Amino acid sequence: MKKANTDNQILVIFGSNGDLARRKLLPAIFQLFLDNLLPEQFAVIGAGSQVKDETTYREDVKQSLYEFAKKGVDENPDKIAEFLQMIYYKKVNNKTEEDFGALKAYIDHLSVTIGITQNIVYYFSIPPFLYEVVAAHLVKLGLNTEENGWKRIIVEKPFGYSYDSAIDLDKKLHAGFNEDQIYRIDHYLGKETVQNIMVTRFSNGFFEPIWNRKYIDRIEITASEKIGVGSRGGYYDTSGAMRDMIQNHLLQVLAVVAMEPPSVFDSDSIRNETVKVLQGLRPIKSNEIADYVVRGQYISGQVGNEVQNGYRQETGVAPNSKTETFVALKVFIDNWRWGDVPFYIRTGKQMPERVTEVVIHLKPAPHQLFKQLCLTEPNNMIILRIHPDAGVAVDFGMKIPGAGFKVQNVNMAFHYSDLADKKISEAYERLLLDAMIGDSTLFARADAVKASWKFVDPILEAWKNNPEIPLYFYESGTWGPNESNALFGYKFVKWRQPFEKFKTED
Ligand code: BG6
């Protein structure tokens, strides 16, 4: 990351004692501080519902850094002490108007005592049902006005629960904030390796000419997780994998993989292209669900050395829950580039490995001169590995040394870890800094959020209204229900085993 030209500002974190703030936001801000990327005058106000004084909160922040900051903690006690001087605390009950009045007075006081202009980023690290409540309080007390400095809000996912609720939330936020003040965060877009998909495609002359229906047979996007829902059962049971991972993260990745090249690289041009992909998703009708979507739920099973709970035994989950912890779907994008190229997307919890990757399967050579060792699979693949062992690999056929002309697949790979002198920033570091600078390129725009809800809504409705649509159970520690392979329609084509080719050092 480059040193940013960032205005002096205040970052107010609503939900400052919560999990996200402790695990991700505060360590990310600390890292920006270590990298010398924060503005000269900067303050964080933790706005949480607990009554606390500044000293206690600073101590809590210190603990969070020791627990969750990846590096820089043990070696930098002085830096931590310096960092903590920028941290303040104000008790704010998100539902109480007087508390927002007190927050306003506190901001006024702080901006005078430490001499910071009231450029303010408000981070909504709170349960989604509070987004509109907090926004309304800010507006009512004039904390959104820009007379004495710009104002921005960062809104976490999920943005809405359905198409209608997303539109409703959007209207409520727009009552006090313009679109260019609203930053809808999707941490997948903050991942270096997701951004690299654009660079791989658009900075090289040789990928883009084959990046279309003429040369590509199909594209797979996998995001598998080794963990279950853990302590988030209560949230997850009302969400499920479709709302938690597909509607936002994976459709955004799909959009980046499938977008047209923009003519210039700026926020609007890029987001104009990604939204076209989402608007071009072919709707899946309720009578097509069985052919296009497979849902699953994990049951007890062995992951590594441990036997894991089934989903229905997790805390906060209804004992007869039909919430999906696995989804696989086949998607088409109706445009000239992608006409009839299937995109297969899957995500699931409690699977054998944590892997996120995009696999571009190319069509076979038009005439097969040589004997392939594997006759059923075309051997050309481009693998964009997002996690772990981030990198890019190309698979192609090579002659097996010796008599005859037998062909075997080999793999040419670039691993980010080889760039020893470069550190890969955490997604939240990048996104927080972008919001502080005012660059919304990597944030989801309202039209994109609406388009992705428009696509997933009919599937969620069909599941709700037709209980006969199967929910397949899969054992923890497996790659999900076998039925997900049926989406390919050919007996010999299956989901790629992620570690088969792109060997990891995880
Ligand atoms: C979050 C989801 O947005 O993304 C989680 O709510 C999921 O359920 C997580 O575990 C996955 O993110 P990552 O960066 O670990 O792939």
Side-chain angles (χ1 to χ4, degrees):
M1 270 194 266
K2 285 203 323 261
K3 174 138 179 73
N5 182 13
T6 319
D7 294 336
N8 293 335
Q9 59 193 274
I10 300 172
L11 171 65
V12 179
I13 305 179
F14 293 105
S16 57
N17 299 307
D19 215 44
L20 179 70
R22 295 182 57 246
R23 279 174 189 275
K24 299 284 183 190
L25 305 183
L26 291 159
I29 302 164
F30 179 60
Q31 192 56 53
L32 292 174
F33 169 72
L34 288 182
D35 293 344
N36 210 15
L37 288 167
L38 292 179
E40 241 159 70
Q41 292 191 311
F42 179 71
V44 176
I45 302 180
S49 55
Q50 298 168 20
V51 181
K52 252 181 214 181
D53 59 24
E54 219 126 78
T55 319
T56 316
Y57 186 60
R58 286 182 180 176
E59 206 40 51
D60 293 349
V61 172
K62 191 170 161 185
Q63 286 309 321
S64 305
L65 298 183
Y66 274 105
E67 220 174 316
F68 300 114
K70 289 241 160 79
K71 53 189 185 112
V73 181
D74 293 328
E75 333 59 298
N76 288 307
D78 295 349
K79 283 282 179 190
I80 293 190
E82 202 183 320
F83 176 71
L84 292 177
Q85 294 309 306
M86 301 175 190
I87 309 284
Y88 301 86
Y89 186 78
K90 187 74 197 153
K91 183 232 150 208
V92 178
N93 178 334
N94 294 313
K95 293 187 183 151
T96 314
E97 194 180 313
E98 298 81 72
D99 282 7
F100 282 80
L103 175 67
K104 185 176 177 5
Y106 189 68
I107 291 173
D108 288 341
H109 157 77
L110 207 62
S111 74
V112 173
T113 49
I114 54 176
I116 307 191
T117 334
Q118 293 196 16
N119 296 318
I120 306 179
V121 177
Y122 300 106
Y123 200 116
F124 290 14
S125 175
I126 46 181
F129 73 93
L130 286 172
Y131 296 163
E132 58 189 68
V133 179
V134 170
H137 283 315
L138 294 177
V139 174
K140 194 149 182 215
L141 290 158
L143 282 158
N144 61 330
T145 55
E146 299 203 294
E147 283 132 30
N148 51 354
W150 51 253
K151 306 289 178 296
R152 296 173 191 146
I153 55 174
I154 305 182
V155 187
E156 266 294 330
K157 68 149 259 260
F159 194 90
Y161 184 76
S162 60
Y163 180 70
D164 288 343
S165 60
I167 296 212
D168 188 49
L169 174 60
D170 215 47
K171 267 198 206 131
K172 289 184 170 140
L173 297 184
H174 275 117
F177 297 91
N178 298 325
E179 180 60 25
D180 63 3
Q181 292 174 279
I182 304 174
Y183 289 71
R184 295 173 198 79
I185 202 161
D186 185 315
H187 78 275
Y188 266 55
L189 292 179
K191 290 180 189 252
E192 192 70 46
T193 38
V194 171
Q195 294 152 35
N196 186 48
I197 296 173
M198 284 187 266
V199 178
T200 304
R201 288 186 57 194
F202 304 140
S203 74
N204 297 298
F206 58 92
F207 285 115
E208 208 44 29
I210 57 166
W211 211 264
N212 54 53
R213 67 190 305 275
K214 198 165 168 205
Y215 297 98
I216 292 180
D217 179 70
R218 64 183 192 275
I219 293 182
E220 279 179 59
I221 301 177
T222 289
S224 60
E225 293 186 88
K226 232 173 156 169
I227 50 167
V229 294
S231 58
R232 298 166 74 224
Y235 148 76
Y236 196 89
D237 211 33
T238 59
S239 161
M242 188 66 101
R243 290 188 176 90
D244 188 54
M245 289 292 291
I246 305 269
Q247 182 273 331
N248 32 68
H249 304 325
L250 297 185
L251 288 183
Q252 287 290 343
V253 172
L254 169 98
V256 171
V257 171
M259 71 193 275
E260 293 300 317
S263 52
V264 286
F265 201 78
D266 65 26
S267 171
D268 272 338
S269 314
I270 291 169
R271 299 194 302 172
N272 287 345
E273 296 307 334
T274 50
V275 77
K276 281 186 216 158
V277 173
L278 299 171
Q279 288 165 342
L281 291 172
R282 189 185 298 168
I284 298 175
K285 302 190 193 87
S286 62
N287 61 354
E288 296 171 333
I289 299 266
D291 295 329
Y292 286 83
V293 192
V294 170
R295 60 174 169 166
Q297 189 186 82
Y298 63 82
I299 54 173
S300 175
Q302 182 132 357
V303 184
N305 292 330
E306 284 179 33
V307 176
Q308 300 292 337
N309 272 345
Y311 176 68
R312 290 178 178 181
Q313 284 84 56
E314 303 277 21
T315 316
V317 171
N320 57 352
S321 170
K322 290 198 80 177
T323 299
E324 76 290 352
T325 60
F326 172 95
V327 184
L329 66 167
K330 177 162 67 174
V331 173
F332 289 97
I333 300 166
D334 285 335
N335 65 20
W336 277 58
R337 185 190 280 260
W338 297 115
D340 289 333
V341 176
F343 286 71
Y344 297 92
I345 309 178
R346 72 174 160 168
T347 184
K349 297 220 182 265
Q350 214 77 283
M351 297 177 83
E353 300 292 347
R354 178 177 173 223
V355 176
T356 310
E357 66 174 21
V358 178
V359 184
I360 317 286
H361 293 267
L362 294 154
K363 290 184 173 166
H367 176 51
Q368 296 292 333
L369 282 177
F370 307 110
K371 200 165 171 205
Q372 308 272 320
L373 278 189
C374 173
L375 290 171
T376 52
E377 270 287 88
N379 52 11
N380 294 147
M381 278 191 271
I382 302 166
I383 303 163
L384 307 163
R385 180 51 82 85
I386 294 167
H387 180 91
D389 189 24
V392 179
V394 179
D395 272 31
F396 56 100
M398 284 283 287
K399 181 180 177 303
I400 299 178
F405 280 90
K406 284 197 185 139
V407 179
Q408 181 189 327
N409 263 19
V410 292
N411 175 280
M412 235 162 47
F414 156 73
H415 303 258
Y416 263 88
S417 51
D418 293 344
L419 300 178
D421 59 327
K422 295 270 181 293
K423 100 170 175 35
I424 297 195
S425 304
E426 288 287 303
Y428 276 97
E429 285 167 41
R430 169 68 197 250
L431 294 175
L432 267 165
L433 185 63
D434 280 1
M436 287 162 61
I437 296 170
D439 181 352
S440 52
T441 311
L442 299 174
F443 292 81
R445 207 168 58 186
D447 48 2
V449 175
K450 282 184 212 161
S452 54
W453 274 120
K454 200 167 188 171
F455 174 73
V456 303
D457 240 22
I459 306 171
L460 292 165
E461 278 297 302
W463 284 346
K464 192 169 91 191
N465 299 330
N466 306 296
E468 72 281 4
I469 297 177
L471 168 75
Y472 297 103
F473 296 100
Y474 62 99
E475 251 180 59
S476 292
T478 66
W479 285 102
N482 278 333
E483 284 78 1
S484 66
N485 283 315
L487 293 176
F488 292 98
Y490 306 98
K491 279 212 177 65
F492 53 84
V493 181
K494 289 193 162 85
W495 290 95
R496 190 183 108 86
Q497 281 293 110
F499 285 166
E500 237 170 42
K501 297 279 156 53
F502 202 101
K503 200 65 203 135
T504 80
E505 294 135 14
D506 198 26

